[in-house]
Amino acid sequence: MSSGPGAASAPAPEPHDSPPALDTPASTRPARKSSMFSSLTVRNYRLFFMGQVVSNIGTWMQRIAQDWLVLSLTGSSAAVGITTALQFLPMLLFGLYGGVLVDRLRKRPALLVTQSSMALTAIALAVLTLTGQVQVWHVYVAAFAVGLATVVDNPARQSFVSELVGPGQLQNAVSLNSANFQSARLVGPAVAGILITGVGTGYAFLFNGLSFIAPLTGLLLMRARELHVVERAPRAKGQLREGVRYVTGRPELIWPIVLVGFVGTFAFNFPVYLSAFADDVFHAGAGAYSMFNTLMAVGSVAGALLAARRGTARLRLLIAAALVFGMLEVVAATTPTLWMFALLMVPLGLFGMTVNVTTNTSIQMSTDPAMRGRVMALYMMVFLGGSPVGAPIVGWITDTYGARVGLAAGGAVAALAAAVIGLILARVGNLRLSVGWHRGHPRVRFVPREQQEALAPAA
């Protein structure tokens, strides 16, 4: 790629022995305060964003149609679970190798290949369904094929954002991507339901396949000279081990990933929790389950848009958001009425999205561009792989002890992990907890030990 205007896609990394700062931005250069949609002023990102608007709606439509088709063919919820597992399995098995590959490749051509392969998979499934030839093993193969493409597509899309907008707009762009995906979550399932009941499941697959025309067109129309230059990793032995060592040697990377692992594994299993509350606790059926998901999506969109207004991604915000998220789950588990539980879905979505966006941005801004594919692959492997691993565990707890205990346990794990990791990062960063008053209001923050000792009154 030719050199574009502006600086490289991320600031130079700090030395490995540099402690992370809970009270300072994850980026080493100050981020300017930006408007909520400031990154959309960048032409290349605007093309990327508009393509994803259409494609994400198609993705959510296929998710609903795929599960419904498998259930219709087999009558088995276990078969639906197998389909989901097959789609996540490639990321768990090959995610890190995908990150190594992404660091070697140019991101735009790689995305053209992965997006095209997912489009062809959806169209093939549409043809099989519309002609009445589809069998459940066809869906299994299609789910696994999409998962294989995701191994490269996910880290490539995550790291490509920095090439589109540069470090100054990265926080805003990542937040808008999340808002984009969550907004599609509000539209896609509804459109899929209309198509499935009106004309059949196959047309939902067809819409998804055709929806990839939008992102592919956007990628082709981008101006290569305006992309922010990124150093690609040369082909060499030991790059997978190098990526793991890079992450484990940097506290500002490994501990947020560990935190997301705990949160994703135990607290983000909402299909298990919400379906159990709708059916077993409130006896309200599928309508309540749909309402819970919709309200959570509304909160997620709000959280992503609020994150877009912030100019920085702070580790202290990540810790605080994860702590509040876990505590809100514990509170939700004790609510006596359906309407109180439903209302709590909005702040749960908001703080859950804050955890997601802040982790994503802080990790990207703290990573050397040549390592970003491997680091983001590890992050996505932990984040996406957590739910399938944790689902059987929280499902067993929920079945054995009840939905309230299951949700409370998941929230407690997330809150405890946030508190412990926050203390670890504070210790590594040589910080102390400071409790005081500011303009008549209580203020809790982390400050350098030297600063607190200098401000302490003499004995």
Side-chain angles (χ1 to χ4, degrees):
M1 296 179 185
S2 60
S3 177
S9 67
E14 297 289 334
H16 283 217
D17 57 355
S18 298
L22 290 183
D23 222 37
T24 57
S27 172
T28 55
R29 61 176 71 169
R32 62 174 182 262
K33 188 71 173 177
S34 58
S35 68
M36 186 178 291
F37 303 102
S38 59
S39 56
L40 289 176
T41 60
V42 180
R43 179 183 181 276
N44 282 345
Y45 178 73
R46 191 163 61 247
L47 289 169
F48 178 82
F49 182 88
M50 293 172 66
Q52 292 300 309
V53 168
V54 179
S55 182
N56 283 337
I57 292 174
T59 297
W60 279 107
M61 289 176 64
Q62 173 139 336
R63 287 188 180 187
I64 300 299
Q66 180 177 274
D67 292 347
W68 186 260
L69 177 60
V70 171
L71 195 61
S72 301
L73 291 172
T74 65
S76 168
S77 296
V80 177
I82 291 172
T83 308
T84 303
L86 285 170
Q87 194 155 328
F88 281 104
L89 185 62
M91 180 61 75
L92 290 173
L93 295 178
F94 312 117
L96 289 176
Y97 295 98
V100 171
L101 190 61
V102 167
D103 280 335
R104 295 174 181 171
L105 298 174
R106 290 188 299 161
K107 307 301 184 295
R108 188 163 62 141
L111 287 172
L112 286 169
V113 172
T114 58
Q115 299 274 295
S116 297
S117 65
M118 287 190 282
L120 292 174
T121 301
I123 291 173
L125 200 54
V127 171
L128 287 169
T129 305
L130 292 172
T131 57
Q133 302 299 313
V134 70
Q135 299 179 35
V136 69
W137 71 268
H138 293 144
V139 186
Y140 288 164
V141 171
F144 190 76
V146 170
L148 283 174
T150 303
V151 168
V152 174
D153 184 80
N154 227 315
R157 276 191 298 108
Q158 297 286 334
S159 53
F160 187 52
V161 173
S162 65
E163 296 187 28
L164 294 170
V165 299
Q169 297 278 15
L170 184 58
Q171 161 87 9
N172 182 263
V174 170
S175 302
L176 289 181
N177 283 351
S178 299
N180 186 334
F181 187 73
Q182 293 301 325
S183 298
R185 181 181 172 185
L186 296 173
V187 178
V191 177
I194 294 171
L195 281 179
I196 291 170
T197 57
V199 292
T201 308
Y203 286 96
F205 296 133
L206 182 62
F207 182 96
N208 183 45
L210 296 177
S211 74
F212 283 97
I213 294 174
L216 289 170
T217 302
L219 289 167
L220 291 171
L221 290 176
M222 288 178 185
R223 296 168 181 164
R225 65 181 182 276
E226 294 178 7
L227 294 174
H228 291 251
V229 64
V230 168
E231 176 189 356
R232 283 187 287 149
R235 185 180 181 88
K237 292 183 178 179
Q239 288 180 318
L240 182 60
R241 292 191 301 272
E242 181 187 11
V244 174
R245 283 197 304 268
Y246 179 85
V247 172
T248 56
R250 297 173 67 90
E252 69 272 31
L253 295 179
I254 185 61
W255 289 115
I257 290 176
V258 170
L259 176 57
V260 164
F262 277 104
V263 173
T265 301
F266 296 102
F268 261 86
N269 276 288
F270 288 110
V272 175
Y273 296 137
L274 299 187
S275 59
F277 266 83
D279 190 37
D280 301 331
V281 177
F282 298 120
H283 309 289
Y289 178 61
S290 176
M291 178 180 66
F292 295 156
N293 279 283
T294 299
L295 290 172
M296 183 166 289
V298 170
S300 297
V301 172
L305 291 176
L306 287 174
R309 291 184 61 88
R310 290 190 293 269
T312 57
R314 299 175 184 271
L315 290 180
R316 66 173 181 174
L317 175 63
L318 169 61
I319 299 300
L323 184 62
V324 173
F325 177 74
M327 293 171 64
L328 278 171
E329 286 200 342
V330 175
V331 172
T334 64
T335 53
T337 63
L338 184 149
W339 69 266
M340 290 178 63
F341 184 84
L343 287 177
L344 282 172
M345 294 301 101
V346 176
L348 270 172
L350 190 152
F351 282 99
M353 182 54 59
T354 302
V355 171
N356 186 357
V357 172
T358 307
T359 306
N360 189 316
T361 310
S362 65
I363 287 174
Q364 289 211 48
M365 296 298 289
S366 300
T367 302
D368 187 327
M371 302 292 295
R372 188 168 287 139
R374 279 164 282 183
V375 173
M376 294 308 296
L378 179 60
Y379 161 67
M380 295 307 299
M381 186 176 70
V382 171
F383 185 65
L384 294 178
S387 291
V389 171
I393 300 173
V394 301
W396 176 81
I397 295 173
T398 300
D399 287 341
T400 305
Y401 300 102
R404 294 190 185 277
V405 174
L407 181 59
V413 169
L416 181 62
V420 171
I421 291 173
L423 292 174
I424 291 172
L425 286 171
R427 185 176 181 84
V428 171
N430 197 31
L431 302 173
R432 279 185 177 177
L433 185 67
S434 172
V435 181
W437 290 84
H438 179 69
R439 296 180 179 177
H441 298 284
R443 180 168 68 174
V444 180
R445 59 176 180 157
F446 286 98
V447 299
R449 292 175 183 266
E450 297 82 359
Q451 178 180 335
Q452 189 178 49
E453 290 167 0
L455 294 175

